[in-house]
Amino acid sequence: MPILTVTTIPFADQKPGTSGLRKKVSTFQQPHYLENFIQSIFDSLTGYQGQTLVVGGDGRYYNQQAIQIILKMAAANGFGRVLVGQQGILSTPAVSCVIRKNQAIGGIILSASHNPGGPQADFGVKYNTGNGGPAPEPVTEAIFARSQKIRQYRILNAGDVRLDRLGTTQLAGMEVEVIDPVADYLALMESLFDFDRIHQLLAGGYFRLKVDAMHAVTGPYAQTIFEHTLGAPAGTVIRGIPLEDFGGGHPDPNLVYARELVGHLFGDDAPDFGAASDGDGDRNLILGPHFFVTPSDSLAVLTANAHLVPGYKSGLVGVARSMPTSQAVDRVAARLGIACYETPTGWKFFGNLLDAGKATLCGEESFGTGSNHLREKDGLWAVLFWLNLLAVRQQPVSQIVKEHWQRYGRHYYSRHDYEGVDSDRANALIQRLREQIPSLRGKHFHPYQVEYSDDFSYSDPVDGSVSQNQGIRLGFTDGSRIVFRLSGTGTQGATLRVYLERYEPNIARHNLDSQKALADLIAIAEEVAQIRSLTQRNQPTVII
Ligand code: VG1
Ligand code: CO
């Protein structure tokens, strides 16, 4: 089979964002576009000859075509073996798991995560390194730099590889092994959680679970784990079949996009526990009957209860959260006497802390939670962690969270997203805020006073790398915060995210509606940032 060396020219826009390169499908379908980016990944690696690569995706439109291109390029570039999920399916946490288990040099995940799929929608490519985690910034910068100079790529002139059957085939001297996407991941989960106890809970007939896989990658994982292994009845998993366009939905597990599940949990005869995952299976939504657990609270509750779960009963070395995530987990860490790290948004910043043994649990306000079992956030892991807690504590979700607030105080939290804003306007808003930073310090906004304001900068405690301009923070003297930043995962215009947090120690005031509890801070955010006039939007597109 001949190896072709194809002449190409760079595309200017191949800079990875918060989580990989995300563009419209039509952008990826341009001649040479995907090939340039893949060759840029390979060119920025050293010593990949003969090594193992893991490839899989969330099942969205163009997943299988992209995998065929990658297999032929990997063979032409001299990789020794590629492990690929059956039908091209591998969730992001499963890729992390398979890389680690097989000591692969890295993995390529075809996903735009929570972004919609289909011919008119989005596609994405993420590269994960040998530790199983998202490529850190120096690596993504090297890939981008390479993409700006690329002049040729190598690809095999060969027919497609069958991805529907398990087993090994040869592609010009490279082994292609089609693997069961679920098996290794299930084994890892069994090693962390008390499956017998969760089985008793789910098969007992009195506890009802509903899991919304949103027609994305988690369907086969959730069905195997909950229905076939843990005894939950058939029908527990809804929207369980991965579809190329996610059934027209938006696979973002929040109260807006997981509408059907929310309907069940907030309806009459609500199940005892509800959960949803995003497109590539790395995020989670946790619901009890008529009760929503914010992701920031979820991280704090898991940290406080980790000793009840087999995989974590010997203790946590530390925790880490992204900067905009609420400080609820900080209070738990302080009480446990363990370190708490604050990183920029994006899972890639947790990798060094996990590798260095400085953190056990990590989380983000954007419905991502995970631990040192992998180097990715992990949606079903979080669901299993909660089910393990529920099986041990035998209390409703709301009671567990309310008792947590009683012990630690409540962090009211919300994020307001303004999606699809004109990029120039969004950049001008952030620039204007940046200029105001010095003059905001000490300023009074009744009843709050600004204690600090800055543009968050992170120095990695392991490798010393510095990441600047990670979000404008306004911190108030009572611990409340407002954070402004622009999303790095969108494909159209800009998304402004405004994060709001207020601490309430008084138990008598723990049952307010979040938006009401945060009303003063919402007004301050508007006053300081002039969101309405500068974005020309009267209200957020999404409030979570
Ligand atoms: C968003 C979230 C961030 C998350 C990232 C990737 O990034 O805020 O917390 O890590 O998505 O998640 P941004 O830059 O749009 O705010 V995933 O599951 O979409 O790969
Ligand atoms: Co995701």
Side-chain angles (χ1 to χ4, degrees):
M1 279 176 268
I3 291 173
L4 307 179
T5 300
V6 181
T7 304
T8 186
I9 49 165
F11 291 89
D13 64 347
Q14 296 200 323
K15 192 175 176 65
T18 312
S19 182
L21 182 69
R22 291 191 195 178
K23 301 285 172 196
K24 292 280 165 221
V25 167
S26 53
T27 302
F28 273 103
Q29 285 173 325
Q30 296 172 83
H32 313 308
Y33 192 90
L34 175 68
E35 291 87 343
N36 274 18
F37 191 66
I38 299 297
Q39 188 67 53
S40 301
I41 295 174
F42 294 165
D43 288 350
S44 60
L45 300 175
T46 41
Y48 61 76
Q49 302 287 327
Q51 296 278 328
T52 299
L53 183 72
V54 180
V55 180
D58 63 11
R60 70 179 58 225
Y61 183 81
Y62 202 53
N63 189 24
Q64 299 235 8
Q65 292 93 318
I67 289 177
Q68 295 295 345
I69 291 171
I70 293 167
L71 290 175
K72 290 168 200 170
M73 289 187 67
N77 278 275
F79 280 86
R81 184 166 71 132
V82 175
L83 302 175
V84 53
Q86 192 174 17
Q87 306 286 17
I89 291 284
L90 276 175
S91 73
T92 289
V95 168
S96 190
C97 173
V98 174
I99 291 174
R100 292 168 70 78
K101 191 177 164 200
N102 293 281
Q103 280 119 38
I105 189 168
I108 295 176
I109 306 169
L110 289 323
S111 173
S113 190
H114 56 284
N115 299 23
Q120 316 302 328
D122 294 349
F123 193 72
V125 179
K126 307 196 265 190
Y127 180 69
N128 281 28
T129 51
N131 71 348
E137 284 204 323
V139 178
T140 54
E141 275 158 23
I143 295 170
F144 177 58
R146 181 67 204 155
S147 77
Q148 297 309 291
K149 295 208 181 98
I150 192 163
R151 289 283 175 261
Q152 56 185 42
Y153 60 83
R154 284 183 294 285
I155 189 163
L156 203 66
N157 187 9
D160 284 355
V161 177
R162 283 190 71 160
L163 300 179
D164 56 340
R165 286 186 309 205
L166 299 180
T168 304
T169 49
Q170 293 289 328
L171 194 59
M174 183 184 83
E175 243 180 44
V176 178
E177 189 179 341
V178 177
I179 59 168
D180 176 339
V182 183
D184 291 336
Y185 179 78
L186 171 62
L188 180 60
M189 294 301 112
E190 284 176 318
S191 75
L192 296 171
F193 301 110
D194 189 340
F195 266 49
D196 289 341
R197 212 149 174 178
I198 302 174
H199 190 281
Q200 278 169 26
L201 181 77
L202 297 184
Y206 61 93
F207 182 95
R208 285 181 307 147
L209 167 68
K210 214 21 108 217
V211 177
D212 186 354
M214 302 186 103
H215 284 312
V217 81
T218 358
Y221 295 85
Q223 273 161 353
T224 302
I225 295 174
F226 301 118
E227 297 184 5
H228 307 153
T229 310
L230 288 167
T236 295
V237 179
I238 57 172
R239 300 200 282 172
I241 297 170
L243 298 177
E244 287 196 332
D245 66 348
F246 306 125
H250 204 129
D252 205 349
N254 61 41
L255 296 178
V256 177
Y257 295 122
R259 215 169 287 129
E260 184 182 342
L261 179 78
V262 171
H264 284 293
L265 270 292
F266 284 81
D268 298 336
D269 194 29
D272 299 284
F273 189 73
S277 283
D278 70 335
D280 59 334
D282 56 3
R283 307 216 227 159
N284 66 91
L285 167 67
I286 303 293
L287 300 170
H290 303 268
F291 194 84
F292 162 56
V293 186
T294 71
S296 297
D297 276 347
S298 179
L299 175 64
V301 169
L302 299 190
T303 303
N305 290 279
H307 59 281
L308 302 176
V309 171
Y312 305 92
K313 68 172 185 299
S314 57
L316 310 176
V317 290
V319 288
R321 63 164 172 83
S322 68
M323 180 273 283
T325 304
S326 99
Q327 300 158 99
V329 73
D330 302 33
R331 292 182 189 276
V332 182
R335 205 171 289 197
L336 291 174
I338 58 174
C340 179
Y341 297 89
E342 184 177 41
T343 59
T345 294
W347 210 261
K348 60 188 167 201
F349 294 101
F350 294 133
N352 278 348
L353 297 172
L354 294 166
D355 283 349
K358 289 179 178 294
T360 310
L361 300 187
C362 304
E364 295 193 280
E365 51 63 43
S366 54
F367 301 82
T369 330
S371 88
N372 60 354
H373 70 292
L374 292 177
R375 295 295 179 270
E376 279 285 1
K377 49 192 185 287
D378 188 346
L380 291 179
W381 168 90
V383 176
L384 286 164
F385 204 131
W386 266 97
L387 288 172
N388 201 146
L389 293 189
L390 292 166
V392 173
R393 290 189 51 169
Q394 299 283 329
Q395 292 169 306
V397 173
S398 60
Q399 196 179 338
I400 290 177
V401 177
K402 284 178 181 170
E403 284 182 13
H404 185 93
W405 293 340
Q406 283 160 20
R407 210 171 139 88
Y408 296 96
R410 176 170 182 187
H411 287 256
Y412 281 104
Y413 190 82
S414 183
R415 190 179 91 196
H416 290 195
D417 289 342
Y418 297 78
E419 296 175 322
V421 173
D422 175 75
S423 294
D424 292 341
R425 287 180 176 277
N427 288 325
L429 182 149
I430 293 289
Q431 188 48 35
R432 197 180 146 273
L433 276 173
R434 219 169 254 146
E435 284 156 15
Q436 287 185 75
I437 286 173
S439 63
L440 285 167
R441 290 186 195 123
K443 209 167 163 178
H444 285 271
F445 293 92
H446 185 75
Y448 295 96
Q449 186 182 4
V450 179
E451 185 176 316
Y452 62 89
S453 62
D454 62 11
D455 194 345
F456 181 61
S457 166
Y458 177 66
S459 304
D460 187 301
V462 180
D463 66 15
S465 60
V466 176
S467 304
Q468 285 171 323
N469 302 330
Q470 297 296 322
I472 314 264
R473 303 193 291 183
L474 275 188
F476 299 91
T477 50
D478 71 335
S480 298
R481 295 191 309 164
I482 304 174
V483 175
F484 302 90
R485 64 178 281 281
L486 298 183
S487 157
T489 56
T491 56
Q492 225 162 12
T495 294
L496 170 69
R497 303 201 196 280
V498 184
Y499 309 82
L500 305 137
E501 174 182 6
R502 174 165 90 79
Y503 181 57
E504 179 55 76
N506 184 346
I507 294 173
R509 290 205 297 259
H510 278 177
N511 288 317
L512 303 178
D513 169 73
S514 290
Q515 300 306 313
K516 290 201 181 103
L518 294 165
D520 288 338
L521 290 168
I522 293 168
I524 295 170
E526 172 59 28
E527 183 180 338
V528 173
Q530 299 288 306
I531 302 168
R532 280 188 212 157
S533 65
L534 292 178
T535 64
Q536 302 222 305
R537 294 287 175 80
N538 284 328
Q539 59 193 35
T541 18
V542 176
I543 295 181
I544 49 178

